[in-house]
Amino acid sequence: MRTTFPRIAIALKLALRELRGGLSGFYIFLACIALGTGAIAAVNSVSRAITGAIATQGQALLAGDIRFELNNREATPDEKAFLDSLGQVAVSTGLRSMARLPDGSEQALVEAKAVDGAYPLYGTVVTEPARPLSELLGEQAQAYGGVAAPLLLERMGLKIGDEILLGNARIRLTATLSSEPDALSEGFGFAPRLLLSREALAASGLIQTGSLVEHAYKIKLHNPDQRASLGAIANKQFPSAGWSIRTADRAAPSLTENVDRFSQFLTLVGLTALIVGGVGVANAVRAFLDSKRTTIATFKCLGAPAFVVTLIYLFQILLIGGVGIAIGLLIGAVAPFIALGFLRDLLPVPSETAFYPAALGLAALFGLLTTFAFAVLPLGHAREVPATALFREQGFDQSGLPSWPYLAAAGLALAGLAGLAIFSADDRFIAVVFLGAVAVAFVLLRIVASAIAALARRSPRVNSPALRLAIGNIHRPGALTPSVVLSLGLGLALLVTLALIDGNLRRQLSGTMMQQAPNFFFVDIQGSEREGFVNILKQQAPQGEITQVPMLRGRILSFNGQDVSQMNVPPGGRWVLRGDRGITYDETLPANATITQGEWWPENYSGEPLVSFSAEEAGELGLKIGDTVTVNVLGRNITARIANFRQIEWRSLSINFVMVFSPNTFRGAPHAWLATLTDQSATPAKEGAILRAVTNSYPTITSVRVKDALDIAEQLMGQLATAIRAAAAVALVASVLVLAGALASGNRARTHDAVILKTLGGTRRMLMRAFAYEYMILGFATAVFALSAGSGAAWFVVSRIMKLPATFLPDVAVITLIAALVLTVGIGLAGTWRILGQKAAPVLREL
C-alpha cells in the first residue's frame, strides 16, 4: 500500500508528460466517444425539457387544476353541485361531426368543441384576428360564431365570414384558430378543430341518445392544495359516476408516456452508436500502443513494473476519452436550445431552456464505461508482451486473451453499461431485448468475420495476382476483416431493420389495409334513422356491403373487483384501460372473429351478464375465463363474467371491439348504431356522392372516410420514421468512423506490404485492384450479414409484435448492398492511394 500510491502518481505524471505531443492518432477515438455520448445527452436533455414543460405547464395544458370527464352524458345535478363547490368550473363538450356548405356541395369531418363563457380558466386561445371568444362565438343574424383551424378553410375552400352548417346549426366563421391551451391534453384528432359555443352545439341537434360525446368539467380550485385527494373524494361520493379524473400534474399522460418511450428508443440507438464506437476505441488504443512499442519496451527494460506501464496508458486513454465525453456533453447541452426551437409549435417546451445535469451525467457515465470497457483488453495484451518482442517490432496482433484481471475488468464494465441502460429505461424489458440483440449481433459479426477468413484461407488458388493478394489479405495475421465487419455490420443491420419495418407498415397502410378496409365508417346513427340511412346507401352503392352494430361507450373500472388504477399493467394492455372504450352486444359470434378459448352464449340467453374479450389484450392484462369485468356505462356500473376469448383481425379495419357483451346486459339501454360500407368498386367521385347524400339527408350522422384516416396515419408514420432514421444514422456514422479508424490503423502494415511488392515488381494499378477486391469482398459479406440480421429482426417485430404480414423489400437490399460497397471500397481506396505514393527507401530502412 505504501508503494502503490507513489507508483500511481508516477504513472499519472508520465501519462501527462507523454500527452504533450498532442492527440495525433486519437481523432477517430474522440469522434466515436463524442458522437455516442452527444446522442445520448441530446436525446435525454430534450426529453427532460419536454416532460418538464408538461409538468410545469400542467394548468395551462389542462386549462384547469383538475378535469372531470364524462362520456355520453352530462353531470347530474348532484354531481354538478359537487363540482361547483370545488371552484370555478368551465364546461366544454367535444364530438366529431360533419361540417357542410349550405348548398350541400362540400363537406368535411371536424372535431367540434363547444365551450362556455368561463373557458379557458388557464392559458389563452390565440385567434386571427385576435378578439375575445365571447365576441367570436356569439350569435348574430341567426348564425352562431365559429373559430376554425386553417385546415378546415383550406379543405372546404372557405374564408372568414363564410357560413357552414353543423348538424342543424348555421355557423359563421369569425376567425381562424392558431392555438388552444388544452389541445394536447385532449389527445390527437383526425380532423380540424371547430370551436363554437355550447348554445350553438345545442342548436345543432347533434347531442342525441347514444351520441359519442365527451363532456369535460375543468375546475380552477378554491384550494389547489386539495388537488391530489379530490379524485378519491369524488369517487367515494359518486361511486357510479364513471368519470375520468385528471389533475394538472398529469395533464397529458399519453403524451408524456410517448415522449418517454421515444426517448428510450433513441437513447438505445445512441447507446448502439456508442458501443459501435467502442470498437473504434479498441482499434485506436491498439494502434496507439502499437506505435508506443519502443517506449513500452524501454519502460520495461528500465525496471518499470507492468502495473505502472499499464496505468500510464490507461490514464492517457481515460484523459483523452474525457475530452471526447466533454465534447459530447457540449453537444447534449446545446441540443435543447436548437431542437426546442423546431418543436415549439408541436409540443410543450419550457419558457426558458436550461441545462439538464442528470441527462448529461447519464451520458457521461455511458461514455466513461464504454471507453474503459473497450480499452482495457488492448491494454491487457500490451502488458503481456515482453520487452524483447517489442524491440523486435512485434505488435499486439497475437491470438488469445489477456490475463483474467483484464477480462474481469472488461466484463464488469460491460455489465455496468448494460445495467445502466436497463436501470435508466422506462420499459426495462425492451431495453433488455435491445441489448441482448446487440450482444448477439456482436457475436454473430465475430463469427461472420472468422467464417470469411476461413473461407478465404481454404479458397482455391486463382490466376489473378491482384485477386490472390486480396484473398490473402483477408485471412492473414492482423487482417482488417474483424474490424471492417464489426464496424459496418451493426450500423447497416440497424438501418435495414428500421427500413424494412417502415416499408412493411407503409405497404399495409397503402396496400393490404386499403384493400380490406371498408370505405366508410358511420357513427351516431339513431334507431329512428337506420332504415332511411340504409336505403340511401343501397341506392348510392347497390353492390356495397353494409354492416351495422349497436354501440355504447364504457370505461373499465375493475377486474375481479380490483381497481384497475391500482394494477401494474404491462404496456401492451394499458391502452384498453385508458379512457372509454367502444363496446357492443351481439347474439352471435361476429363474422370477423374466432373463438380461441371458452364458448359463445346460446341464443336468447337470459342469465348473468357475460362478455367476450379480445384474446391478445386479455393475455396482456392477465385475464382468464371466469374472471369478472366491471364497466361503467351511462353512469351505471355493470359487472360481467368473461365467457370466452376471441382472436380479432384488427388490421382488417372492420368493426371490432375489445369487449362484446351478451344482449341481455344492456336490454333497454339507450344507444346509437355504428355502420360500415364496403364497396371495392367505388371511385373517389362515387365516394364523394355517397358522403354528400348521407350528410345532406342526415346531418347528425358522422361519416368517416377510411382513406382519409389512413392518409393521416401514413403521414404521421412518415414523420416518425424520418426521426428514427435520422437517429439510426448516428449509429451508421459511428460505423463509418470506426471503419475509417480500422483502415487507418492498418496503414502501417499496408505501407510495408505495398513497398515490398513494388520493390518486387508490383505495379500501382495491380495493388489498387488487389485492395479494391479485398474491400469489395468484405463489403459484400457485411451487406449479406446486415440484410440477413436486419430482415430477421424486422420480421420478428412486424409479424410477432405488430401481428402483420412481413414482406422482404428488394429495394432495401439493393440500397444496403450499394451503401456497404461504397463505404468499404471508397474509404479503403481513399486511404490506400496515399499508401501507394510512399517512397520505398525510407520504409525499407525501418524494416
Side-chain angles (χ1 to χ4, degrees):
M1 198 68 178
R2 190 173 295 174
T3 59
T4 300
F5 288 111
R7 288 180 176 181
I8 294 176
I10 292 172
L12 180 59
K13 183 178 180 180
L14 291 173
L16 293 173
R17 183 170 295 174
E18 275 206 65
L19 280 178
R20 294 174 185 175
L23 302 179
S24 177
F26 276 97
Y27 297 117
I28 299 294
F29 179 118
L30 287 172
C32 289
I33 295 297
L35 185 66
T37 304
I40 295 174
V43 167
N44 281 278
S45 293
V46 173
S47 171
R48 289 173 188 268
I50 294 172
T51 54
I54 293 173
T56 56
Q57 300 174 22
Q59 289 178 320
L61 293 174
L62 197 68
D65 291 311
I66 191 169
R67 177 181 188 265
F68 291 78
E69 180 184 311
L70 291 167
N71 286 280
N72 307 329
R73 73 177 186 89
E74 295 191 64
T76 65
D78 288 343
E79 291 168 345
K80 186 63 167 60
F82 168 75
L83 298 178
D84 287 335
S85 69
L86 301 177
Q88 185 182 1
V89 180
V91 184
S92 62
T93 303
L95 75 165
R96 292 186 181 93
S97 189
M98 302 302 294
R100 64 194 192 280
L101 297 181
D103 61 5
S105 61
E106 191 66 60
Q107 59 283 311
L109 183 69
V110 297
E111 298 270 354
K113 178 178 177 179
V115 300
D116 61 9
Y119 174 85
L121 297 172
Y122 295 98
T124 305
V125 177
V126 181
T127 62
E128 179 60 39
R131 290 165 53 195
L133 274 183
S134 57
E135 297 180 15
L136 294 173
L137 304 184
E139 182 181 8
Q140 292 182 1
Q142 299 181 337
Y144 295 93
V147 177
L151 181 59
L152 180 62
L153 277 68
E154 180 183 335
R155 286 183 178 177
M156 299 184 68
L158 300 169
K159 62 182 184 299
I160 299 301
D162 289 346
E163 294 185 355
I164 57 174
L165 298 178
L166 185 72
N168 299 318
R170 185 176 292 272
I171 307 295
R172 178 180 291 110
L173 300 178
T174 56
T176 58
L177 181 63
S178 299
S179 68
E180 52 184 317
D182 52 347
L184 287 173
S185 66
E186 296 193 351
F188 173 77
F190 277 100
R193 171 72 80 199
L194 177 63
L195 202 62
L196 63 157
S197 65
R198 286 174 56 81
E199 292 75 17
L201 184 60
S204 70
L206 293 174
I207 301 181
Q208 302 182 50
T209 301
S211 297
L212 299 181
V213 184
E214 295 178 351
H215 299 278
Y217 299 82
K218 301 173 183 180
I219 306 173
K220 186 175 184 179
L221 297 172
H222 294 314
N223 181 13
D225 295 336
Q226 190 184 10
R227 183 176 60 191
S229 60
L230 279 179
I233 295 172
N235 287 328
K236 182 177 180 180
Q237 191 164 340
F238 300 96
S240 298
W243 43 31
S244 174
I245 304 172
R246 194 186 309 168
T247 54
D249 56 346
R250 284 183 51 81
S254 297
L255 177 60
T256 301
E257 185 175 332
N258 288 333
V259 169
D260 287 340
R261 285 184 176 179
F262 195 59
S263 170
Q264 175 184 338
F265 173 78
L266 296 183
T267 298
L268 291 173
V269 171
L271 179 59
T272 304
L274 197 55
I275 293 174
V276 170
V279 179
V281 169
N283 291 337
V285 171
R286 189 176 292 109
F288 171 68
L289 293 175
D290 191 49
S291 69
K292 294 289 184 180
R293 288 190 310 272
T294 305
T295 306
I296 295 174
T298 303
F299 279 139
K300 289 188 174 183
C301 290
L302 292 175
F307 165 70
V308 174
V309 175
T310 303
L311 273 183
I312 291 171
Y313 294 103
L314 177 61
F315 283 144
Q316 289 189 34
I317 290 163
L318 292 179
L319 288 170
I320 296 171
V323 175
I325 292 170
I327 296 171
L329 295 183
L330 181 61
I331 295 171
V334 173
F337 294 88
I338 299 172
L340 297 181
F342 293 99
L343 299 174
R344 193 171 299 278
D345 295 332
L346 303 173
L347 296 170
V349 298
S351 55
E352 294 184 3
T353 308
F355 296 105
Y356 299 90
L360 300 179
L362 181 67
L365 197 51
F366 273 123
L368 184 62
L369 286 172
T370 302
T371 302
F372 181 79
F374 285 90
V376 70
L377 292 182
L379 283 169
H381 277 303
R383 184 186 190 279
E384 302 300 324
V385 178
T388 54
L390 291 169
F391 277 125
R392 288 198 298 267
E393 294 290 323
Q394 293 181 12
F396 307 113
D397 298 325
Q398 74 278 11
S399 59
L401 296 172
S403 58
W404 71 264
Y406 292 91
L407 290 175
L412 287 173
L414 289 173
L417 198 61
L420 184 63
I422 295 168
F423 176 77
S424 61
D426 179 61
D427 190 328
R428 294 178 180 176
F429 175 75
I430 292 178
V432 169
V433 171
F434 193 95
L435 291 173
V438 171
V440 169
F442 259 85
V443 173
L444 290 177
L445 284 166
R446 192 69 187 184
I447 293 173
V448 168
S450 299
I452 295 170
L455 289 174
R457 193 177 297 112
R458 290 169 176 78
S459 65
R461 183 180 178 85
V462 294
N463 294 326
S464 170
L467 184 56
R468 191 162 61 247
L469 180 60
I471 293 173
N473 284 340
I474 290 174
H475 67 79
R476 71 176 187 174
L480 296 175
T481 305
S483 296
V484 172
V485 174
L486 275 173
S487 61
L488 269 187
L490 196 59
L492 284 175
L494 181 60
L495 280 182
V496 168
T497 302
L498 296 175
L500 286 174
I501 293 173
D502 176 45
N504 275 276
L505 289 178
R506 289 178 181 275
R507 188 185 183 94
Q508 286 294 317
L509 286 175
S510 60
T512 307
M513 284 188 181
M514 193 66 75
Q515 294 171 5
Q516 296 178 349
N519 300 71
F520 289 98
F521 275 86
F522 300 98
V523 187
D524 291 343
I525 306 168
Q526 299 301 309
S528 59
E529 299 172 333
R530 285 178 62 199
E531 184 177 353
F533 164 75
V534 171
N535 289 335
I536 290 176
L537 293 187
K538 288 181 177 179
Q539 292 172 6
Q540 295 291 327
Q543 305 300 320
E545 177 185 346
I546 304 170
T547 304
Q548 305 176 72
V549 296
M551 183 171 178
L552 303 92
R553 300 287 291 183
R555 187 163 65 90
I556 297 176
L557 299 179
S558 63
F559 293 124
N560 298 318
Q562 182 181 0
D563 188 349
V564 296
S565 64
Q566 305 301 317
M567 295 174 59
N568 184 18
V569 180
R574 290 175 190 169
W575 70 273
V576 179
L577 308 179
R578 188 180 293 129
D580 281 36
R581 299 260 69 81
I583 57 177
T584 189
Y585 60 85
D586 208 330
E587 193 81 37
T588 59
L589 176 68
N592 58 353
T594 55
I595 296 289
T596 60
Q597 191 178 349
E599 296 181 354
W600 199 261
W601 41 83
E603 292 187 12
N604 302 316
Y605 173 78
S606 58
E608 68 171 326
L610 298 177
V611 62
S612 173
F613 216 94
S614 169
E616 182 178 354
E617 282 65 34
E620 291 284 351
L621 295 168
L623 301 176
K624 59 184 184 298
I625 300 295
D627 286 348
T628 60
V629 179
T630 301
V631 296
N632 184 276
V633 181
L634 297 173
R636 291 181 55 199
N637 291 344
I638 298 172
T639 299
R641 191 169 301 279
I642 297 177
N644 59 74
F645 295 138
R646 289 169 294 121
Q647 188 65 44
I648 300 175
E649 285 291 332
W650 293 108
R651 63 188 178 90
S652 68
L653 295 185
S654 54
I655 298 178
N656 289 307
F657 293 88
V658 173
M659 295 177 288
V660 178
F661 288 81
S662 55
N664 63 312
T665 306
F666 300 112
R667 185 171 288 123
H671 62 77
W673 289 75
L674 169 70
T676 61
L677 171 65
T678 305
D679 185 358
Q680 299 299 335
S681 64
T683 63
K686 187 176 181 181
E687 288 184 342
I690 295 171
L691 192 59
R692 283 191 295 273
V694 171
T695 303
N696 291 333
S697 300
Y698 296 100
T700 59
I701 293 178
T702 300
S703 307
V704 180
R705 187 166 175 256
V706 174
K707 184 180 184 303
D708 294 337
L710 289 178
D711 287 344
I712 293 173
E714 187 174 9
Q715 182 180 359
L716 289 172
M717 193 183 68
Q719 294 172 350
L720 283 176
T722 300
I724 290 172
R725 284 182 178 181
V730 174
L732 185 60
V733 171
S735 297
V736 173
L737 288 171
V738 175
L739 174 64
L743 295 174
S745 67
N747 280 350
R748 184 174 184 275
R750 293 299 172 100
T751 301
H752 291 171
D753 293 346
V755 167
I756 293 172
L757 289 170
K758 285 168 67 177
T759 303
L760 295 175
T763 64
R764 177 176 293 193
R765 183 176 179 182
M766 187 273 287
L767 293 175
M768 284 293 290
R769 282 208 315 272
F771 291 140
Y773 289 152
E774 178 188 356
Y775 300 138
M776 287 176 66
I777 293 170
L778 293 178
F780 182 81
T782 304
V784 170
F785 167 81
L787 284 172
S788 302
S791 299
W795 172 84
F796 180 81
V797 172
V798 173
S799 64
R800 297 304 182 195
I801 298 178
M802 298 182 176
K803 308 297 183 183
L804 296 172
T807 305
F808 181 74
L809 305 175
D811 55 332
V812 174
V814 173
I815 293 172
T816 303
L817 182 60
I818 293 174
L821 291 176
V822 168
L823 290 172
T824 52
V825 177
I827 296 175
L829 292 183
T832 301
W833 183 260
R834 184 176 61 84
I835 292 172
L836 296 179
Q838 294 282 340
K839 294 185 181 296
V843 177
L844 292 174
R845 281 197 296 268
E846 292 181 2
L847 294 177

